[in-house]
Amino acid sequence: MHPDCPPTFKLTGKIMLDIQEIKNRFIHELAAAGSLYDLQQIRIKYLGKKGILTAKLKSLSTVSESERPAFGRLVNEVKVFIENETDARERFLKRIELDKKLASEALDITLPGKYTAAGSVHPINRVLKEIIDIFVSMGFDIEVGPEVEQDYYNFEALNIPKDHPARDMQDTFYINDDVLLRTHTSPVQVRVMEKKKPPLSFIAPGKVYRCDADVSHTPMFHQVEGLMVDTDISFSDLKGILEVFVRRIFDKDVPVRFRPSYFPFTEPSAEVDIGCILCGGTGCRVCKGSGWIEVLGAGMVNPRVFEMAGYDPDAYTGFAFGMGVERITMLKYSIDDLRMFFENDIRFLRQF
Ligand code: DAH
C-alpha cells in the first residue's frame, strides 16, 4: 500500500489504483515541466474546472456509500499534494528565470566609463554675473534693451546728432538709415527714462556690435551700462559707487583715478582708470608703461539727454557709466588676446 493512502481506508483496489495512477502521472509531468507555461498547463489539466481531479471529485456520487468518505479524503489529499507541488515547482522555476535574467543583464563594472564632457560657464558670463551681483547688492535694478536698435536711441537721444564727430568713434553696422546694431548699451538709458520716473538706478548688461576686428576688438562684445537719477545725485555718488565696484570686482584694494574726458551724453565726463593690476603700477606692456588701465567711461547725465527723455533737467541730476565686460575679464584673468573668448577653444575655456 502507498504511504499516502492510510490503511484504514477501505477502498477497492480499482479506485485506489486509479487515483494513484493520476498522482504518478502528475509527478512525472511535473518533473518534465521546464517553464512556467508548462506548469500552468499542468495546473489546468489537474486542478482546473474541467481538470482530472475535479472530475474525480464530481464522480463522488457514483462511488458506493461505504467507500465515499475514504474516496473523498483520498482525492482531497492528492489535490492538496498537487497544489503544494505545483506551488513549490513554480517558486523554483521563477527563481531560475530570475537568475537567468540577472545573468543576462549583468553589468561589467570593470569596463571603462562613458565620458561625457561637462560644460562650464564661459569666462565672460562668469564675470558678467559677478558685475551684476555687485550692483544688485548696492540696490541697482537690471534693465535690457534691443540689440537691433533705432538710430534715434543709439545716437540722437544721446546727444549725438547725424553729423556729430562722435559717430566716427563707433563704427556702426547699419541695417538701414534708421536702424542699426547698437554700438553701446547707452540707448537703454533713454528707453528706461521714457518709461519710468525718477528716482531710478539700474544697470543694463548686453551685447553690442562694432564693425571692427583686431587683437583688442571683436565685432561683438559685451557692455554693462549704469544709470542713477534722483533729485540730488552728485559726482561724489558716482565716485563712491564706482570705487566700491572696482575694489569688489578685482578683489583688491586697487587705486582708482577719474580722468577728465568727453562723451556727448555726459557732462562732465570722465574715464576711470585703475592702478595696473598686472604690474602693480610700476609699468608694463599691458598698461603701456603708465601704471594705469582704463576700465570705464562715466559722467553726470547731460541735461540735453534728460530733456529728450522727457525729464526736467532742472529737477533731476544723475550719473551714468559704461564698461566693457571683455576688458574687465582680460584684466581679472591676465588674458592678452580678446579673440580667445570667441574661438571656443576648449583648452582655453577649461582654465576657468
Ligand atoms: N557708451 C560709451 C561707449 O560705448 C561708454 C560710456 C561712457 C557709457 C560714459 C556711459 C558713460 O554711460 O557715461 O564707449
Side-chain angles (χ1 to χ4, degrees), residues 170 183-186 189 210 223 225-226 263 265-266 270 297-299 320-323:
Q170 303 184 351
T183 56
H184 51 176
T185 42
S186 303
Q189 289 185 28
R210 290 186 200 177
Q223 285 190 339
E225 192 76 14
F263 297 103
F265 33 92
T266 43
F321 59 85
M323 67 183 90

Side-chain angles (χ1 to χ4, degrees), residues 34 164 188 233 245 250 315 334 342:
H164 197 285
V188 185
I233 300 294
F245 165 72
F250 291 110
S334 305
F342 306 114

